[in-house]
Amino acid sequence: MRPSPLDTRQVMASYSACMQIREHAEATPDKPAIILYPSGTVVTFAELEARANRLAHYLRNAGLVEGDTVAILMENNDHIFTAFWAARRAGLYYVPINTHLTAAEAAYIVDNSNAKAIIGSAKLAGICAELGEHLPNGLPATLLMTGEPEGVELPGWQRYPECVADLPDTPIPDEREGDLLQYSSGTTGRPKGIRRELPHVPPAEAPGFVTPVVQFWMQPPNAVYLSPAPLYHTAPSMWAITAQSEGVTVVVMEKFDAEGALEAIEKHKVTHGQFVPAMFTRMLKLPEQVRTRYDVSSLKRVIHAAAPCPVEVKKAMMDWWGPIVDEYYASSEAIGATFIFAEDWLKHPGSVGKPLNSVVHILDEDGNELPPGRPGEIYFEGGNTFEYLNDPEKTAKSRNEKGWVTVGDIGYVDEEGFLYLTDRRHHMIISGGVNIYPQETENMLVTHPKVMDAAVFGIPDPEMGQQVKAVVQTVDPADATEEFAAELIAWLRDRLAHYKCPKSISFEPQLPRTDTGKLYKQELIKKYS
């Protein structure tokens, strides 16, 4: 029986430190720790443990010590978890880099994080080959490349796993717990590193802030967890390695595909999975005969986060999969989190739940606490501490005088303490002095059967200051016409207050959205302003 949200804090407090894959490598050595989809590549717990130990020895022999940083530039493959686990047990910060970045953008993260090593993959060899020319101090001394790159010269890069073949598959003698050093998506400028103080203890003694949630939600070790998103993002990487630490098999999609996700669930009898709302939308837009072709009855619970989910989209998913679609709200900064089960969401549609490990405060622009129902900036009290790497000014701006922390999201709480998100602070449109949060309009647009994706933002208006603009991606490119734009505006005006509706709609074949569902609105604002 699932715990209720009221029990969540007690449940979290009752769990101890994060387990390690070593325990499962000894108890169930042949159990898959990783299954790649669609290739079918399998890495067992025993193999993952041995690989992580060898790589940890290599990094230690190369001179990396507790507190150093290793950058990881890999797609979803069978080596990326080895890099994560090796760094964690060697006391290192590990930085997974977005694989869609240019060489200059990736080099900025390598330089800003002061990475002492880079582990890249053959598929990204072209970017790796160009990194050095964008690094003011040149490439770090320790460079590893998985696989054999084609047509690219990489002097100084060692071939992995060949370079660790002769190293021990037993633990390094001075194991210390490392941590993820995550860079923000950079939707409003240069990405910022989010760093927490290392615990300075052996891995077996280190707490994991995701561990309690995974333990009570997934009920390991007999679960099978689907990870459909790129592992360079915070939530996919943290949830996946935490699931592995609890003995759970993780099915990793090498690239998300709506129909492929359904096939992976059926083929591997997936019991749990984490998605983002854009994935739900793409699965719901599949033809009916495709959606019903696959058996998803093995699913016990799924969860989503990363971006707001339109109420109608979530209801449609529950009509399809049943009341098993849970949700959490958190940030890469890990300043606090909320959680809501599907059953409770149906009573509080649109809510992201109640806090797990902190207290939520809603503040106005002057820092005054607002009553239930009034939207303001969301602050958390009592969450994890962090710093924006090399940016003390931004770190300071995220705190108020009481030490409460914000990442700039806007929302409100109801009378029962359930949190609702309104939008991001920097997404707000001010038209004629009226504050407009575009998320509501975006959520309505994607419920139209001909709309695949939508972005709403403000553009300059000589009279009103800003006007509401929408850019839409249609399911069928043939629908991207002026006639359909006019039809959509009229359709919206029947459903929303007119001031929230766009004055014009343009079309794009693909919106600039991250793999976790966040929109790079700045690209669109620049184009249409």
Side-chain angles (χ1 to χ4, degrees), residues 25-88:
E26 295 169 353
T28 55
D30 298 326
K31 182 178 180 178
I34 307 161
I35 301 175
L36 295 184
Y37 174 89
S39 69
T41 301
V42 173
V43 180
T44 67
F45 276 97
E47 290 169 335
L48 182 57
E49 169 69 14
R51 291 181 182 190
N53 285 332
R54 291 191 189 100
L55 183 54
H57 277 284
Y58 186 95
L59 294 171
R60 190 64 91 234
N61 292 345
L64 276 74
V65 297
E66 183 183 16
D68 284 344
T69 300
V70 54
I72 301 168
L73 189 53
M74 287 191 216
E75 73 285 0
N76 286 6
N77 62 24
D78 61 320
H79 296 297
I80 191 167
F81 284 108
T82 303
F84 291 169
W85 281 108
R88 282 190 60 170

Side-chain angles (χ1 to χ4, degrees), residues 237-502:
S237 62
M238 291 299 292
W239 278 67
I241 63 172
T242 303
Q244 287 172 346
S245 74
E246 297 295 318
V248 171
T249 296
V250 177
V251 178
V252 177
M253 295 189 72
E254 290 158 288
K255 182 177 176 59
F256 177 75
D257 171 77
E259 184 176 355
L262 302 178
E263 183 180 56
I265 292 168
E266 178 183 79
K267 181 175 182 179
H268 297 293
K269 299 294 185 288
V270 169
T271 62
H272 296 74
Q274 180 166 187
F275 298 85
V276 298
M279 295 174 181
F280 287 161
T281 301
R282 280 158 175 73
M283 289 188 286
L284 288 166
K285 301 287 184 180
L286 289 170
E288 181 70 17
Q289 65 270 25
V290 175
R291 289 204 287 127
T292 57
R293 184 182 303 159
Y294 298 96
D295 180 6
V296 296
S297 62
S298 61
L299 289 173
K300 294 182 179 179
R301 312 295 302 187
V302 300
I303 201 164
H304 70 91
C309 186
V311 168
E312 294 306 315
V313 169
K314 189 162 178 175
K315 284 181 177 177
M317 286 303 300
M318 285 201 253
D319 288 342
W320 180 11
W321 286 0
I324 63 169
V325 184
D326 305 324
E327 181 174 0
Y328 71 93
Y329 161 65
S331 64
S332 297
E333 289 84 347
I335 61 172
T338 64
F339 187 97
I340 189 166
F341 282 102
E343 297 89 339
D344 300 298
W345 184 92
L346 289 168
K347 301 173 187 175
H348 302 269
S351 173
V352 295
K354 291 186 174 182
L356 289 171
N357 58 348
S358 53
V359 178
V360 169
H361 300 276
I362 307 298
L363 307 184
D364 66 15
E365 294 179 354
D366 297 321
N368 301 310
E369 195 141 11
L370 292 168
R374 291 273 303 278
E377 192 160 359
I378 302 167
Y379 281 77
F380 282 94
E381 175 189 4
N384 291 287
T385 59
F386 76 98
E387 66 172 355
Y388 289 112
L389 187 61
N390 303 321
D391 197 336
E393 182 180 352
K394 184 173 182 180
T395 302
K397 284 182 177 179
S398 69
R399 278 89 163 153
N400 69 3
E401 66 280 0
K402 296 180 180 179
W404 303 345
V405 188
T406 184
V407 293
D409 287 338
I410 303 295
Y412 65 93
V413 294
D414 65 16
E415 294 287 351
E416 296 180 57
F418 285 87
L419 178 67
Y420 296 75
L421 302 182
T422 306
D423 215 319
R424 293 284 290 177
R425 178 175 56 192
H426 63 266
H427 287 170
M428 186 174 69
I429 302 165
I430 304 176
S431 183
V434 177
N435 293 348
I436 303 169
Y437 294 105
Q439 178 187 310
E440 183 180 5
T441 309
E442 291 169 351
N443 289 352
M444 183 60 69
L445 277 168
V446 297
T447 66
H448 194 286
K450 293 183 179 181
V451 174
M452 176 65 77
D453 203 357
V456 176
F457 48 90
I459 59 174
D461 183 282
E463 180 182 357
M464 305 297 285
Q466 285 184 304
Q467 65 172 256
V468 182
K469 172 73 180 179
V471 179
V472 165
Q473 175 187 338
T474 56
V475 176
D476 183 349
D479 287 325
T481 64
E482 291 183 8
E483 291 76 15
F484 181 52
E487 177 188 327
L488 260 184
I489 292 173
W491 181 85
L492 277 173
R493 288 169 71 88
D494 287 339
R495 290 162 174 80
L496 293 175
H498 291 186
Y499 73 89
K500 300 177 182 179
C501 298

Side-chain angles (χ1 to χ4, degrees), residues 124-194:
L124 299 167
I127 294 175
C128 293
E130 297 175 16
L131 286 175
E133 61 190 80
H134 301 288
L135 290 168
N137 298 313
L139 288 164
T142 303
L143 303 167
L144 303 183
M145 173 66 58
T146 68
E148 189 68 38
E150 296 181 7
V152 179
E153 292 294 325
L154 289 164
W157 290 74
Q158 302 299 310
R159 293 291 172 266
Y160 176 87
E162 292 83 354
C163 64
V164 304
D166 296 332
L167 294 176
D169 61 6
T170 52
I172 58 175
D174 59 341
E175 282 192 331
R176 307 293 279 177
E177 178 73 353
D179 195 12
L180 174 70
L181 170 53
Q182 182 64 41
Y183 274 73
S184 66
S185 56
T187 54
T188 58
R190 285 278 202 178
K192 297 296 182 184
I194 299 161

